[in-house]
Amino acid sequence: MTGIWLPLAATVLAAALTWWCCIRPMTRNRSCHGASDPGLQEELRAAREELRRLRDEATPPTDPTDRPETLNR
C-alpha cells in the first residue's frame, strides 16, 4: 500500500503543474498568446492562401481521358 503513494503524488503534482502553467493562462486570455500580432496574422493569411492554391493544383482532372493510362499486369 505504501508503494502507491509516490506515483499517486507524482501524478497529482503533474496534473496541478499542467493546470497552473498551461490551462489557467489559456482560459484567462482565451488563447495561447495574449495580443494579436499583425505580422503573425499576415503570415497565417499567406499560408492559408498558399494551401488553398496547392489544393487547387492537386485536384485531379475531371476528364478521364486526360489521366495517364494504367496497365493491368
Side-chain angles (χ1 to χ4, degrees):
M1 184 74 174
T2 58
I4 197 167
W5 291 110
L6 183 60
L8 184 61
T11 303
V12 169
L13 180 62
L17 283 173
T18 301
W19 178 80
W20 184 262
C21 295
C22 300
I23 298 170
R24 187 182 59 89
M26 286 191 301
T27 58
R28 286 187 175 179
N29 295 337
R30 299 285 183 223
S31 68
C32 294
H33 51 296
S36 178
D37 182 17
L40 176 64
Q41 296 301 322
E42 179 62 28
E43 287 181 34
L44 286 172
R45 187 202 59 74
R48 287 184 185 118
E49 178 64 27
E50 182 180 2
L51 179 62
R52 187 198 57 77
R53 185 182 50 80
L54 290 172
R55 284 183 177 161
D56 288 344
E57 288 177 3
T59 304
T62 56
D63 185 13
T65 59
D66 288 345
R67 295 184 182 156
E69 186 176 325
T70 57
L71 302 173
N72 292 331
R73 293 185 183 207

